Amino acid sequence: MIQSIDRAARIMNLLQGARRLGISELAAALELPPSTVHGLVKSLQAHGLVAQEPGGNRYVLGPALLRLSSVYLDTLDVRARSLRRMHELSQRTGLASHLGVLLGTDVLVIHHDRRPDGSEQMPETGLTLPAHASALGKVLLAFDDDVAARVLGGTLPDLTDATVTDAAVLRDQLDEVRRSGVATTAEEAVLGDAEAAVPVHDEDGRVIAALGVVTAVEAVPLAETTLRELRDAARAISRDLGAR
């Protein structure tokens, strides 16, 4: 591993989630001299990967990451083949739909199709959440033993009072997801939101993504017609990817 690249990547990881940190805070987190961190940050800033707050001494992720993330998303075949199916799913159910993949022990939302009612909604493409706290993540963990073992063997942070933080409970939930093929959550990541998600397969039968819908927690349990539309959309995407 190249040390300077590793340190730069760690700086950007510390700044994710709209965090704003100064040189001294970054240096303390990395256990490095402030002069070393200052040089790394200035190099990242020169390439637009980090930006300094106007009139301040703290740093945030830079605009170049947006361009890089867009290029990355455009290279994902599963996303390209899901756009039309997800839009149709949102139109038929009246719900927002999400497509997620694993990113370490998190789930990364690679596409978000908004509710068709015209209401104000936060764009969520690019959002990351701990995999244990979302229906998308639980689907992906249920079919990836290696990542599931890492998650179950570590600390499960609580995002809300409803987040599952007991490894034994989460293990049972993953077993149920494998049995039923669907994961559901209620207010585990965001208060007021409930989710349902199902797997998307590639041509080799591997689960490479999870497709989900989001609704108000008051709408739980979801209507069987909604779950059927969700499963049908995931099967259609999987067929488009070459799955049998």
Side-chain angles (χ1 to χ4, degrees):
M1 185 176 293
I2 299 174
Q3 189 179 65
S4 58
I5 295 176
D6 176 61
R7 289 173 172 177
R10 290 166 64 194
I11 287 172
M12 290 189 287
N13 282 331
L14 287 169
L15 293 175
Q16 69 177 331
R19 296 184 69 186
R20 292 165 166 77
L21 298 174
I23 296 295
S24 60
E25 295 168 303
L26 290 167
L30 296 171
E31 299 180 345
L32 292 172
S35 58
T36 300
V37 174
H38 183 265
L40 290 165
V41 167
K42 288 302 180 182
S43 296
L44 291 169
Q45 185 179 4
H47 291 282
L49 298 170
V50 164
Q52 187 172 0
E53 283 188 317
N57 295 316
R58 296 187 299 176
Y59 293 85
V60 298
L61 291 178
L65 287 173
L66 181 61
R67 182 174 65 252
L68 292 175
S69 65
S70 297
V71 171
Y72 168 71
L73 291 176
D74 287 343
T75 65
L76 293 178
D77 192 34
V78 63
R79 180 177 185 267
R81 294 179 181 273
S82 300
L83 300 181
R84 179 173 63 86
R85 305 289 190 183
M86 289 179 66
H87 185 67
E88 293 171 351
L89 174 63
S90 293
Q91 291 294 319
R92 288 195 295 265
T93 62
L95 303 176
S97 58
H98 290 170
L99 186 71
V101 297
L102 281 174
L103 180 64
T105 57
D106 294 334
V107 58
L108 170 67
V109 177
I110 60 173
H111 186 62
H112 167 217
D113 199 279
R114 301 186 182 195
R115 292 188 306 273
D117 60 7
S119 60
E120 184 176 350
Q121 300 165 63
M122 181 181 75
E124 297 182 7
T125 299
L127 181 72
T128 58
L129 287 171
H132 74 282
S134 73
L136 293 175
K138 290 181 182 183
V139 166
L140 295 167
L141 291 178
F143 296 96
D144 191 317
D145 292 341
D146 291 339
V147 179
R150 287 164 54 194
V151 171
L152 290 166
T155 301
L156 302 176
D158 57 331
L159 305 184
T160 72
D161 290 341
T163 306
V164 174
T165 57
D166 186 309
V169 173
L170 179 59
R171 187 177 291 107
D172 288 344
Q173 289 185 347
L174 299 183
D175 288 341
E176 175 60 21
V177 172
R178 283 189 289 271
R179 186 194 67 78
S180 66
V182 62
T184 59
T185 58
E187 299 189 296
E188 290 191 35
V190 179
L191 292 176
D193 282 359
E195 296 178 279
V198 296
V200 174
H201 299 80
D202 68 4
E203 61 182 353
D204 297 319
R206 297 173 302 179
V207 174
I208 58 168
L211 176 66
V213 291
V214 183
T215 187
V217 70
E218 293 82 11
V220 173
L222 285 172
E224 185 56 39
T225 53
T226 298
L227 293 175
R228 185 167 60 250
E229 293 283 2
L230 176 60
R231 290 189 179 99
D232 288 347
R235 290 190 189 105
I237 295 169
S238 298
R239 285 195 302 271
D240 291 344
L241 290 166
R244 298 179 185 81

